[in-house]
């Protein structure tokens, strides 16, 4: 081989063969990996470039909205429509950037001790504000253990689950946020009494842009990227997402963390005598 050797990406498959032998199959996936890297960087660059023009549009539309306030007519409704669409694009660009950051940056040492009491309170406040006009009942249950990880990523993942619960639960429904932990694992659970999801959709929910009912989801402000972000964050925390749902009855989204991610408060009964 001449010149520098490029790093290769390979998958290895080990197949038992005969009594004591193993067959090792190596597949060169360098080109697949390279294409995937190009896709990720392209999406990140485009999203980044779109941010500035969208901010300018947003700013001017706010000014126009003020100028035409109190007047009836086509111009005002046109401005309202443009503001709504620009807002949607901003949400989409923010979600695309968040997703590509999770895909392209290595998971840094995820060792913040996350105060779950404070995080749950913040999430309950978000649910209350988002569902203010729906009178949803918000309940919180906290086991008192803390979680070890990246607080910003975890907050954004949990917020996505809470936002979804609020969006898909009708007026008067209930949303429960539960944090439970034992010696083997920790579970952050969002339970809603909303519209539910048909079973056939469940395996695809964490795919980018997958929507159960695209019109309804778009109208409710969703970008189709929320659960993809949740899945990526959980992967970076050695955790997984479990979804259970009954159409018309509600959904339960559970984030399951391994015990290595848990921190329990010291047990006073085990404290050494003074
Ligand atoms: P979106 O931004 O459109 O909400 P998500 O990736 O967060 O995208 O969710 C994907 C789809 O899963 C949504 O379009 C919605 O149809 C469905 N979904 C997510 N959470 C819930 C929920 N709590 N109840 C019912 N449907 C849900």
């Amino acid at each position: 081989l001449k010149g520098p050797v490029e790093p290769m990406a390979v998958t290895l498959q080990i197949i038992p063969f005969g009594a004591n032998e193993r067959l090792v199959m190596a597949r060169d996936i360098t080109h697949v990996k390279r294409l995937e890297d190009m896709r990720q960087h392209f999406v990140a660059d485009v999203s980044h470039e779109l941010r500035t023009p969208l901010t300018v549009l947003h700013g001017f539309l706010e000014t126009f909205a003020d100028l035409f306030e109190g007047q009836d007519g086509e111009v005002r409704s046109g401005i309202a429509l443009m503001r709504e669409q620009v807002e949607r694009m901003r949400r989409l660009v923010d979600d695309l950037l968040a997703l590509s950051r999770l895909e392209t940056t290595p998971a840094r040492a995820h060792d913040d001790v996350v105060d779950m009491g404070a995080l749950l309170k913040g999430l309950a406040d978000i649910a209350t504000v988002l569902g203010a006009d729906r009178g949803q009942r918000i309940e919180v249950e906290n086991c008192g253990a803390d979680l070890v990880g990246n607080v910003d990523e975890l907050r954004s993942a949990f917020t996505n689950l809470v936002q979804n619960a609020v969006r898909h639960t009708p007026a008067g429904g209930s949303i429960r946020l539960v944090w439970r932990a034992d010696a083997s694992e920790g579970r952050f659970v969002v339970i809603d009494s909303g519209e539910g999801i048909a079973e056939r959709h469940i395996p695809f929910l964490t795919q980018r842009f997958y929507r159960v009912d695209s019109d309804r989801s778009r109208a409710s402000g969703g970008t189709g990227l929320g659960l993809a972000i949740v899945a990526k964050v959980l992967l970076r925390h050695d955790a997984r997402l479990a979804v259970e749902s009954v159409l018309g009855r509600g959904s339960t989204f559970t984030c399951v963390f391994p015990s290595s991610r848990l921190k329990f408060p010291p047990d006073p009964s085990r404290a050494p005598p003074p």
Side-chain angles (χ1 to χ4, degrees):
L1 287 171
K2 281 189 191 148
V5 181
E6 269 198 55
M8 274 175 80
V10 269
T11 57
L12 288 181
Q13 197 180 2
I14 302 171
I15 305 162
F17 183 70
N20 292 317
E21 275 114 85
R22 300 279 181 276
L23 187 69
V24 180
M25 279 175 51
R27 186 169 298 148
D28 178 2
I29 55 156
T30 313
H31 61 294
V32 180
K33 178 86 179 55
R34 206 173 289 148
L35 277 177
E36 178 59 15
D37 286 352
M38 275 169 66
R39 182 198 65 75
Q40 285 173 354
H41 284 104
F42 176 74
V43 172
D45 290 349
V46 171
S47 313
H48 192 77
E49 289 300 317
L50 282 173
R51 240 186 175 180
T52 312
L54 281 174
T55 307
V56 174
L57 274 176
H58 177 80
F60 274 106
L61 284 172
E62 293 296 304
T63 312
F64 287 153
D66 288 346
L67 283 175
F68 288 93
E69 205 188 323
Q71 292 181 30
D72 286 331
E74 248 174 70
V75 178
R76 232 186 109 230
S77 59
I79 291 173
L81 191 66
M82 282 194 278
R83 282 174 81 191
E84 203 183 294
Q85 294 302 318
V86 166
E87 201 41 56
R88 212 184 111 208
M89 276 199 271
R90 272 160 56 104
R91 275 200 304 273
L92 190 59
V93 164
D94 284 349
D95 278 0
L96 276 171
L97 272 175
L99 196 56
S100 60
R101 221 171 279 135
L102 291 168
E103 283 172 338
T104 53
T105 60
R108 67 172 172 84
H110 278 18
D111 55 4
D112 309 332
V113 176
V114 181
D115 175 347
M116 283 302 281
L119 188 56
L120 285 167
K121 180 166 182 320
L123 292 171
D125 290 346
I126 289 174
T128 310
V129 171
L130 290 176
D133 51 345
R134 301 182 182 208
Q136 291 160 338
R137 206 170 53 255
I138 317 285
E139 289 166 28
V140 177
E141 194 184 310
N142 180 11
C143 67
D146 287 329
L147 188 54
V148 178
N150 178 321
V151 65
D152 296 325
E153 289 184 13
L154 289 167
R155 190 185 296 112
S156 103
F158 295 166
T159 303
N160 269 310
L161 294 178
V162 169
Q163 259 170 359
N164 278 349
V166 171
R167 280 188 193 136
H168 299 284
T169 302
S174 69
I175 294 167
R176 285 181 64 210
L177 311 179
V178 179
W179 170 233
R180 279 194 201 118
D182 59 26
S184 63
E185 61 186 28
R187 288 171 170 256
F188 172 73
V189 196
V190 179
I191 307 158
D192 68 58
S193 67
E195 69 204 39
I197 306 164
E199 207 181 329
R200 67 178 188 283
H201 293 294
I202 290 181
F204 308 107
L205 292 178
T206 55
Q207 287 181 2
R208 285 183 221 105
F209 296 115
Y210 189 86
R211 289 175 171 123
V212 173
D213 177 340
S214 54
D215 288 347
R216 217 201 279 180
S217 168
R218 213 170 281 138
S220 69
T223 60
L225 293 172
L227 292 177
I229 292 176
V230 173
K232 285 274 182 291
V233 170
L234 293 186
L235 194 67
R236 285 157 77 91
H237 287 83
D238 323 304
R240 65 184 169 87
L241 181 69
V243 185
E244 290 162 77
S245 192
V246 180
L247 212 51
R249 300 274 291 277
S251 309
T252 301
F253 285 77
T254 307
C255 308
V256 188
F257 294 88
S259 58
S260 55
R261 292 270 166 202
L262 304 176
K263 195 162 192 287
F264 290 94
D267 181 352
S269 65
R270 294 235 203 127

